[in-house]
């Protein structure tokens, strides 16, 4: 006998080995903490309507949900949209709870950003199907039949099965079949069956969200009298609004239902409970009477303006225990300040966070909570940062207005609202509270150190069992490489050295672990970028090959291993110009693509890896077919990345560069214009201090210089020089990346001098050219001869303008060195 958990409790079944007789729960593997029955303390949002509030809006939804569908024109879908903090999730929860109390069938999925599978769409259909089978058991055989007919319905993100097909096969078709064939169920479903999808805007798969809605509309169009309704809540976002703002969908703007009466009732309940618990307030009331006074309550209601989240945080601010010397000492003193608080959440977040900013480890703790891939309890955060649990609690206890701190260490710390993460990761909004991408580097290093601590105690631990390791170690096992990727542009040389040392120790304790070998290879490759050490590139390639050998063709991570080895080979090619490295990298990238389905979430990375390698091959051979294929691949990659995807800026950047290359070969003006547009969009997605902003500034500057060369428009030349100067400011000397904008800036300033005859532009161009020769194009480097001649031509210009004899003598020296280099260091053969 075996126990397993299903919606509604634990049930006992005989354990059977036949696939046909496995429990449906085991087959579907639903997300158990996504429904309205979840433990909301562990799985946010922890939302619920306060008694006496939201009565009318909930009643409207309930009446629509249970009303019989008698005409073709009945709206099967109801979309309630509202701004951050307007209470959408609370209403969804109350609709679900009310339906259950009234014994009406309901299934639900509460999306939540940065919550693993709950922020993605792949398991929506299986989760809803599992709940439906529990609510209407007669649907189970039809769901089983669908899975047996197409096992790819259960393959997460692979197999080419769309979300539309998953919903059709696992939810819509089984429900429709039962309604038609089962008289008893027809009686049950005379009141429509309700599906609640809360927080649809928090699903990161935007294209699939649109596909989900399209499939829904198509199903109801073909089945206008089916007793099924769908209630959706979300913020107003274009990818959702463009599909749902149509006559076939019933719309609810929550702003029309955020009444002052509801806020007043909400505050009355909070103050009644809070004041009864606070001895200071009780003493004040005994002496002065009611508090807050009715006039102050009315002012608060007006100031809050219909936002329940703002009302909640304002109340917590008023009733909080003061922790700083300068804090107002009592709730009565804080009430006037609350009336002056900016009702926008940014101001509220700033004021709340300021209460703990003076405490030890505050920046690390807040940045960690903002950047964690999955939430951790206070002890897990402490272990990851190498501090005490009480130090984490000490910081968070003042922030309970915006961060949920559980009463037990078995429950993770979560944000009261996902808008706080947006605030903390946007520097223009959060200022000194900004969670800088470089903190990913710290988390990555701490993950390795955490794993090493356990390995030192028991070198066989992770091979034998991971049941006895801490939550922080579990986190490190699952997510360290994600922090490595997110922080890849922020490593300091000393941090790379530390990571390499830690990985070597880990592999000495437990050799042969592919992920650890690949991570070491990645870090060694990144250090080679700084040192230009051929030995380190060789080591990175050797390590990558070793990891690939441990992942045969059937291994699900083989595409990742192929890409890692390809990246190392491409890097070495760009340094040595060894064509065999480039050709092998292209072959590896092609194999990775063949192993990935069209719906694989990592396919976009493989597409632009191959696209970039083909661009290099085109520059090496001049073959236009390689460039055309590269552009096609980059376009396909871009189509897979929605506007909010963190890799979209890289895809825009890659396609922009490829189109500039084609313009330079064909002279087609449209290619250049599209490239400039793409680079501008990429730059907007990389605001300071984005680690890749440097590259977007450089590429946009280069593209504008190309257009200046075509049109002679001075505005393009001015802007190009400005962008290239900004790029240089992001890489202090002697950073090797400075060579990219320096070379372009030399040409731009020369052009500006020729336009204006201002000697300052020529002097700056000469200085930058001299830095190029000192910085990167060292003796023996093939490109050194080119820049020796460039510097000579600039000095000739200065001599023509100033007649300084020293320029003539230096020009002679430069020409002699360039002549020797050209003879001794020819361009390698293809």
């Amino acid at each position: 006998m075996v126990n397993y958990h299903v919606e509604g409790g634990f049930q006992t079944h005989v354990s059977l080995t036949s696939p046909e007789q496995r429990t449906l729960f085991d087959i579907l593997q639903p997300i158990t903490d996504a429904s309205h029955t979840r433990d909301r303390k562990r799985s946010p949002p922890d939302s619920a309507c306060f008694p006496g509030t939201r009565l009318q809006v909930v009643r409207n939804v309930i009446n629509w949900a249970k009303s019989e569908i008698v005409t073709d024109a009945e709206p099967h879908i109801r979309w309630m949209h509202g701004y951050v903090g307007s209470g959408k999730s609370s209403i969804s929860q109350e609709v679900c709870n009310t339906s259950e109390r009234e014994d009406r069938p309901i299934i639900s999925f509460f999306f939540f950003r940065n919550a693993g599978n709950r922020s993605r769409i792949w398991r929506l259909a299986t989760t809803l199907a599992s709940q439906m089978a529990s609510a209407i058991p007669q649907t189970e055989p039809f769901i089983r039949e669908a899975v047996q007919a197409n096992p790819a319905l259960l393959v997460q993100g692979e197999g080419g099965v769309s979300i539309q097909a998953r919903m059709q096969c696992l939810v819509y078709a089984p429900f429709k079949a039962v309604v038609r064939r089962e008289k008893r169920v027809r009686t049950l479903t005379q009141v429509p069956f309700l599906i609640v999808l809360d927080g649809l805007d928090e699903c990161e798969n935007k294209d699939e969200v649109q596909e989900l809605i399209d499939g829904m509309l198509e199903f109801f169009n073909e089945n206008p009298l089916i007793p099924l309704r769908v209630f959706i809540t979300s913020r107003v976002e274009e990818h959702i609004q463009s599909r749902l703002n149509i006559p076939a969908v019933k719309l609810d703007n929550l702003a029309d239902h955020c009444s002052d009466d509801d806020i007043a009732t909400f505050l009355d309940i909070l103050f009644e409970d809070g004041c009864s618990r606070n001895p200071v307030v009780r003493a004040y009331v005994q002496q002065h009477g009611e508090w807050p006074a009715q006039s102050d309550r009315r002012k608060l209601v007006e100031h809050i303006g219909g936002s329940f989240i703002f009302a909640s945080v304002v109340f917590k601010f008023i009733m909080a225990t003061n922790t700083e010397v300068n804090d107002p000492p009592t709730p009565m003193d804080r009430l006037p300040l609350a009336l002056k608080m900016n009702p926008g959440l940014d101001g509220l977040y700033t004021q709340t966070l300021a209460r703990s900013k003076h405490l030890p480890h505050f920046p690390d703790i807040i940045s960690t909570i903002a950047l964690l891939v999955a939430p951790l309890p206070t002890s897990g955060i402490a272990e990851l940062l190498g501090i005490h649990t009480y130090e984490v609690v000490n910081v968070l206890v003042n922030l309970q207005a915006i961060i949920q701190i559980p009463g037990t260490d078995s429950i993770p710390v979560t944000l009261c609202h996902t808008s706080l993460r947006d605030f903390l990761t946007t520097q223009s909004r959060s200022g000194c509270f900004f969670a800088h991408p470089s903190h990913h580097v710290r988390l990555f290093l701490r993950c390795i150190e955490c794993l090493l601590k356990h390995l030192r105690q028991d070198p066989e631990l992770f091979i034998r069992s991971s049941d006895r390791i801490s939550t922080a170690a579990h986190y490190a096992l699952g997510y360290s490489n994600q922090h490595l990727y997110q922080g890849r542009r922020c490593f300091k040389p000393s941090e790379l050295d530390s990571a390499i040392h830690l990985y070597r120790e880990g592999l000495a304790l437990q050799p042969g672990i592919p992920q650890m070998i690949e991570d070491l290879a990645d870090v060694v490759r990144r250090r080679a970028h700084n040192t230009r050490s051929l030995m380190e590139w060789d080591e990175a390639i050797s390590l990558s090959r070793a990891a690939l050998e441990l992942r045969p063709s059937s291994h699900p991570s083989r595409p990742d291993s192929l890409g890692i080895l390809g990246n190392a080979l491409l890097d070495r090619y760009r340094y040595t110009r060894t064509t065999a490295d480039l050709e092998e990298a292209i072959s590896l990238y092609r194999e990775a693509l063949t192993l990935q389905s069209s719906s694989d979430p990592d396919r976009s990375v493989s597409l632009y890896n191959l696209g970039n390698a083909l661009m290099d091959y085109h520059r090496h051979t001049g073959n236009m077919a390689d460039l055309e294929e590269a552009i096609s691949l980059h376009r396909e990659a871009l189509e897979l990345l929605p506007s909010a995807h963190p890799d979209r800026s890289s895809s825009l950047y890659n396609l922009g560069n490829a189109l500039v290359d084609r313009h330079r070969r064909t002279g087609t003006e449209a290619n250049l214009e599209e490239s400039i547009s793409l680079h501008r969009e990429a730059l907007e997605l990389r605001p300071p201090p984005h680690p890749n902003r440097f590259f977007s500034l450089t590429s946009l500057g280069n593209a504008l210089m190309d257009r200046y060369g075509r049109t002679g428009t001075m505005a393009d030349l001015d802007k190009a020089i400005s962008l290239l100067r900004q790029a240089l400011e992001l890489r202090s000397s002697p950073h090797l990346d400075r060579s990219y904008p320096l070379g372009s800036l030399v040409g731009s300033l020369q052009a500006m001098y020729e336009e204006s005859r201002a000697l300052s532009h020529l002097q700056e161009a000469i200085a930058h050219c001299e830095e190029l020769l000192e910085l990167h194009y060292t003796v023996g480097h093939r490109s050194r001869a080119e820049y020796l001649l460039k510097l000579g031509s600039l000095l000739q210009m200065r001599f023509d303008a100033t007649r300084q004899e020293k320029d003539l003598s230096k020009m002679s020296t430069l020409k002699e060195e360039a002549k020797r280099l050209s003879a001794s260091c020819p361009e390698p053969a293809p």
Side-chain angles (χ1 to χ4, degrees):
M1 306 290 281
V2 60
N3 288 326
Y4 66 92
H5 181 259
V6 297
E7 295 292 342
F10 281 87
Q11 299 185 11
T12 303
H13 282 253
V14 178
S15 178
L16 302 168
T17 57
S18 170
E20 293 77 12
Q21 295 181 332
R22 288 168 57 204
T23 66
L24 189 62
F25 182 90
D26 288 336
I27 294 171
L28 296 177
Q29 291 293 301
I31 304 173
T32 55
D33 63 346
S35 80
H36 61 283
T37 61
R38 70 194 183 283
D39 181 347
R40 300 200 305 272
K41 296 296 182 185
R42 294 175 180 268
S43 304
D46 184 13
S47 302
C49 293
F50 262 62
T53 65
R54 301 299 199 178
L55 299 178
Q56 188 57 52
V57 66
V58 172
R59 188 178 299 117
N60 291 344
V61 177
I62 291 294
N63 289 340
W64 162 80
K66 68 182 182 182
S67 63
E68 188 175 355
I69 299 172
V70 295
T71 71
D72 292 359
E74 291 279 346
H76 288 271
I77 303 173
R78 188 181 189 118
W79 176 40
M80 180 173 289
H81 56 84
Y83 50 83
V84 172
S86 56
K88 300 180 293 296
S89 294
S90 296
I91 291 169
S92 295
Q93 187 69 41
E94 186 59 33
V95 167
C96 293
N97 294 344
T98 301
S99 297
E100 285 203 329
R101 286 196 299 269
E102 296 178 359
D103 200 25
R104 281 183 283 104
I106 187 169
I107 59 178
S108 61
F109 196 104
F110 282 66
F111 288 97
F112 199 74
R113 201 179 314 163
N114 289 89
N117 286 316
R118 287 183 58 208
S119 65
R120 295 186 284 271
I121 208 165
W122 299 115
R123 289 171 66 186
L124 170 67
T126 54
T127 299
L128 292 177
S130 178
Q131 294 179 38
M132 184 172 69
S134 178
I136 306 176
Q138 292 84 351
T139 60
E140 179 168 335
F142 296 101
I143 298 171
R144 285 181 177 274
E145 182 181 337
V147 172
Q148 289 169 1
N150 187 2
L153 290 168
L154 304 180
V155 179
Q156 181 175 333
E158 298 176 0
V161 181
S162 66
I163 183 61
Q164 187 170 338
R166 293 173 197 264
M167 289 294 292
Q168 173 63 31
C169 295
L170 296 176
V171 180
Y172 304 146
F175 178 79
K176 179 180 176 180
V178 168
V179 169
R180 285 183 173 178
R181 300 182 190 185
E182 299 283 345
K183 181 181 292 186
R184 187 168 66 84
V185 178
R186 279 204 301 273
T187 303
L188 170 68
T189 55
Q190 284 177 351
V191 175
F193 190 62
L194 180 61
I195 301 175
V196 174
L197 302 179
D198 180 73
L200 194 57
D201 57 295
E202 303 208 15
C203 177
E204 64 188 39
N205 310 109
K206 293 194 175 184
D207 291 340
E208 286 77 11
V209 164
Q210 291 187 323
E211 187 182 324
L212 168 72
I213 297 169
D214 290 344
M216 219 179 269
L217 292 168
E218 181 180 332
F219 174 74
F220 289 131
N221 185 54
E222 294 172 355
N223 302 273
L225 297 179
I226 193 84
L228 176 66
R229 284 202 163 107
V230 182
F231 178 53
I232 298 172
T233 70
S234 76
R235 285 184 282 185
V236 178
E237 293 198 0
E238 179 59 28
H239 69 290
I240 298 175
Q241 183 180 21
S242 63
R243 294 302 201 274
L244 289 177
N245 193 7
I246 59 175
V249 176
K250 189 173 184 62
L251 304 181
D252 267 330
N253 185 346
L254 200 49
D256 298 333
H257 302 284
C258 293
S259 70
D260 286 349
D261 288 342
D262 277 342
I263 296 294
T265 301
F266 179 61
L267 286 176
D268 285 344
I269 294 170
L270 288 175
F271 276 117
E272 181 179 355
D273 180 67
C275 294
S276 66
R277 300 170 183 271
N278 190 304
V280 175
V281 175
R282 289 202 306 270
Y284 179 88
V285 169
Q286 288 177 357
Q287 184 174 358
H288 299 281
E290 182 186 40
W291 183 85
Q294 289 301 315
S295 59
D296 286 336
R297 295 191 188 214
R298 284 193 296 272
K299 290 178 185 177
L300 269 179
V301 169
E302 292 172 3
H303 185 60
I304 286 164
S307 171
F308 278 81
I309 187 172
F310 185 55
S312 177
V313 177
V314 163
F315 171 77
K316 290 176 180 178
F317 168 79
I318 293 171
M319 300 301 293
T321 303
N322 58 298
T323 57
E324 295 187 63
V325 175
N326 296 327
D327 271 357
T330 70
M332 285 69 70
D333 297 311
R334 285 190 286 275
L335 176 58
L337 293 179
L339 291 168
K340 297 177 183 178
M341 289 176 71
N342 184 345
L345 290 177
D346 285 7
L348 184 149
Y349 289 149
T350 298
Q351 191 155 3
T352 305
L353 290 165
R355 298 177 61 80
S356 285
K357 69 178 182 180
H358 63 290
L359 296 173
H361 310 296
F362 168 80
D364 281 348
I365 293 169
I366 292 303
S367 293
T368 297
I369 292 172
L371 299 180
L372 284 175
V373 183
L376 285 171
T378 52
S379 62
I381 295 170
E383 183 180 355
L384 202 58
L385 293 177
I387 59 179
H388 298 290
T389 301
Y390 74 82
E391 292 176 301
V392 177
V393 175
N394 189 41
V395 166
L396 297 183
V397 73
N398 303 321
L399 310 179
Q400 294 186 73
I402 57 176
I403 296 176
Q404 296 184 22
I405 300 97
T408 171
D409 199 50
S410 64
I411 300 176
V413 174
T414 56
L415 308 181
C416 290
H417 203 280
T418 53
S419 61
L420 176 56
R421 179 174 284 105
D422 297 336
F423 170 80
L424 290 169
T425 54
T426 307
Q427 189 176 32
S428 60
R429 295 171 59 189
S430 53
C432 65
F433 302 119
F434 175 57
H436 197 284
S438 62
H439 192 69
H440 280 294
V441 176
R442 174 159 167 72
L443 291 176
F444 166 67
L445 292 172
R446 289 300 309 170
C447 281
I448 308 173
E449 290 170 358
C450 182
L451 292 175
L452 274 178
K453 181 182 74 173
H454 288 272
L455 278 173
R456 291 179 189 122
Q457 295 170 355
D458 184 355
E460 299 295 317
L461 179 63
F462 298 134
I463 295 176
R464 185 177 62 255
S465 171
S466 61
D467 292 342
R468 291 184 285 129
I469 67 175
S470 65
T471 56
H474 270 294
Y475 179 90
L477 274 173
Y479 301 114
S480 62
N481 60 335
Q482 293 194 38
H483 290 297
L484 169 61
Y485 178 76
Q486 293 294 331
R488 63 194 182 280
R489 293 286 184 186
C490 302
F491 276 90
K492 299 175 184 176
S494 60
E495 291 168 334
L496 290 170
D497 293 343
S498 295
I500 290 170
H501 174 76
L502 292 168
Y503 271 128
R504 292 198 197 286
E505 182 182 349
L507 285 169
L509 291 168
Q510 192 181 102
I513 305 301
Q515 187 61 60
M516 193 174 291
I517 296 171
E518 281 183 346
D519 287 347
L520 174 57
D522 199 13
V523 176
V524 170
R525 180 174 69 90
R526 295 185 190 285
R527 187 166 71 175
H529 275 289
N530 295 335
T531 63
R532 291 298 193 265
S533 166
L534 186 58
M535 185 181 298
E536 289 185 340
W537 264 307
D538 292 344
E539 182 185 4
I541 290 169
S542 177
L543 288 165
S544 299
R545 289 194 194 283
L548 181 61
E549 289 175 3
L550 295 170
R551 287 174 168 166
S553 57
S554 59
H555 197 286
S557 295
R558 183 172 175 83
D560 297 334
S561 298
L562 290 163
I564 288 169
L565 176 55
N567 291 342
L569 288 163
L570 184 60
D571 281 354
R572 189 169 69 179
Y573 161 76
R574 289 172 176 171
Y575 182 68
T576 66
R577 291 295 189 255
T578 304
T579 309
D581 283 346
L582 178 57
E583 291 174 341
E584 185 181 0
I586 290 172
S587 176
L588 293 166
Y589 292 145
R590 289 197 189 281
E591 183 185 346
L593 270 177
T594 63
L595 295 175
Q596 292 173 319
S597 71
S598 59
S599 59
D600 192 299
D602 293 327
R603 182 174 174 82
S604 61
V605 177
S606 295
L607 285 166
Y608 64 68
N609 279 344
L610 178 56
N612 286 339
L614 287 169
M615 284 174 62
D616 279 68
Y617 206 58
H618 157 72
R619 291 166 183 165
H620 180 61
T621 65
N623 186 353
M624 281 297 293
D626 293 324
L627 179 58
E628 294 300 332
E629 184 182 0
I631 290 172
S632 176
L633 291 164
H634 284 313
R635 288 198 189 280
E636 184 182 347
L638 185 59
E639 290 173 0
L640 294 175
L641 300 172
S643 58
H645 196 285
D647 289 338
R648 182 174 174 84
S649 64
S650 295
S651 193
L652 290 161
Y653 170 83
N654 291 329
L655 179 56
N657 287 341
L659 289 168
V660 163
D661 277 14
R662 186 159 70 180
H663 165 261
R664 290 172 180 170
R665 286 294 303 273
T666 66
T668 306
E669 187 176 355
N671 291 155
L672 181 57
E673 293 300 327
E674 184 181 0
S675 171
I676 290 171
S677 175
L678 292 167
H679 280 311
R680 280 182 171 146
E681 184 181 347
L683 186 61
E684 289 176 1
L685 294 174
R686 294 170 166 180
H690 195 287
N692 290 337
R693 183 173 175 82
F694 165 84
F695 297 101
S696 285
L697 288 165
T698 303
S699 289
L700 179 55
N702 289 339
L704 289 171
M705 270 302 296
D706 279 21
R707 191 165 70 179
Y708 162 76
R710 184 182 183 88
T711 67
T713 304
M714 286 299 295
D716 285 339
L717 181 57
D718 285 335
K719 185 64 175 177
I721 291 173
S722 173
L723 292 166
L724 293 167
R725 283 172 174 163
Q726 290 178 54
L728 277 182
E729 290 173 0
L730 297 178
R731 294 289 190 272
S732 58
S733 183
H735 199 296
L736 294 176
D737 280 353
R738 284 174 66 85
S739 61
Y740 301 125
L742 277 172
S744 301
L745 194 51
V746 168
S748 303
L749 290 165
Q750 179 181 341
M752 182 62 79
Y753 169 71
E754 292 169 348
E755 292 276 4
S756 66
R757 292 298 163 179
L759 192 60
S760 60
H761 294 129
L762 183 57
Q763 301 281 38
E764 185 181 350
I766 290 171
H768 289 323
C769 200
E770 289 173 337
E771 183 185 351
L772 265 174
L773 289 167
E774 294 174 1
L775 175 71
H776 185 52
Y777 299 110
T778 54
V779 174
H781 196 287
R782 287 182 302 277
S783 298
R784 183 172 177 83
E786 175 188 346
Y787 278 95
L788 287 167
L789 294 173
K790 169 61 74 174
L791 180 56
S793 68
L794 293 172
L795 291 172
Q796 178 70 62
M797 289 181 185
R798 188 166 69 181
F799 174 77
D800 292 341
T802 64
R803 316 309 291 182
Q804 296 183 36
E805 292 295 328
K806 63 179 182 180
D807 285 340
L808 280 178
S809 60
K810 189 170 183 180
M811 286 161 50
S812 176
T813 303
L814 294 169
K815 287 180 181 178
E816 285 298 320
E817 184 183 349
K819 185 177 179 179
R820 289 196 305 271
L821 276 176
S822 297
S824 63
C825 192
E827 185 71 20

